[in-house]
Amino acid sequence: THLGPTLGFAVITVLLFEASRALAGRFGHPVLNPTLVTILAVIGVLAACGVPYSDYMRGGGLIAWLLGPATVALGVPLARNLGAIARDGLAIIVSLCAGALTAAITGPCVLAAFGGSAVLERAMAPKAATTPIAMAVAHEIGGMPSLAAIFAIAGGVTVAVAARPVLNRLGIR
């Protein structure tokens, strides 16, 4: 009896995501990130229909579970670009470490300075990772995976919106 609503919520999520992708493709603005727009749309649908988040997650959890294999599949383009990665390996490693450590330390520290809770700090720490990895890390360190997902997505959208003009001026495409 739970299979219907479970699949229904997963289907609604996928349909909202596809609509969000079409919207992003039409207007091309980074704020219209399909993942962010889908999250907001799902929140709107759940609120309008009075559906508790726990009910939604019985189906929406299927989508979250699929994020893991999708992230692993990112290894394919990495393998295709192995030569370039190997050539610039040291610079990549130093850049990744500097960026990851900066993001993991500054976010929670700023949040703490403004009176944020320890749970929020632990959800904020992995925000520079991909969404599924941020969720897994947050879970492991006692943060809320759903908040970690939101922070990761919001961080990515913020970078896309704020950094694009700076990167364009620097000639980085």
Side-chain angles (χ1 to χ4, degrees):
T1 59
H2 293 287
L3 189 59
T6 298
L7 286 177
F9 290 135
V11 168
I12 288 169
T13 302
V14 170
L15 292 175
L16 287 171
F17 182 75
E18 286 303 315
S20 298
R21 283 185 53 197
L23 184 68
R26 179 168 182 178
F27 294 103
H29 196 281
V31 170
L32 296 175
N33 175 283
T35 304
L36 178 64
V37 172
T38 302
I39 289 170
L40 296 174
V42 166
I43 290 169
V45 168
L46 295 179
C49 297
V51 175
Y53 180 73
S54 59
D55 288 352
Y56 166 79
M57 276 309 291
R58 282 199 294 267
L62 174 64
I63 303 297
W65 179 80
L66 289 171
L67 282 173
T71 301
V72 171
L74 293 173
V76 173
L78 286 174
R80 288 185 180 148
N81 292 289
L82 201 52
I85 292 169
R87 184 185 70 237
D88 296 325
L90 180 61
I92 290 170
I93 290 169
V94 171
S95 298
L96 286 174
C97 290
L101 289 173
T102 301
I105 293 168
T106 57
C109 287
V110 170
L111 191 61
F114 282 89
S117 71
V119 171
L120 285 177
E121 292 169 23
R122 289 189 294 269
M124 178 69 72
K127 75 181 176 315
T130 62
T131 302
I133 292 172
M135 292 173 71
V137 169
H139 176 76
E140 289 295 319
I141 64 174
M144 295 176 64
S146 56
L147 283 177
I150 291 168
F151 292 152
I153 293 164
V157 171
T158 301
V159 168
V161 171
R164 182 181 284 178
V166 174
L167 294 174
N168 285 343
R169 282 190 165 223
L170 295 173
I172 299 171
R173 303 276 180 253

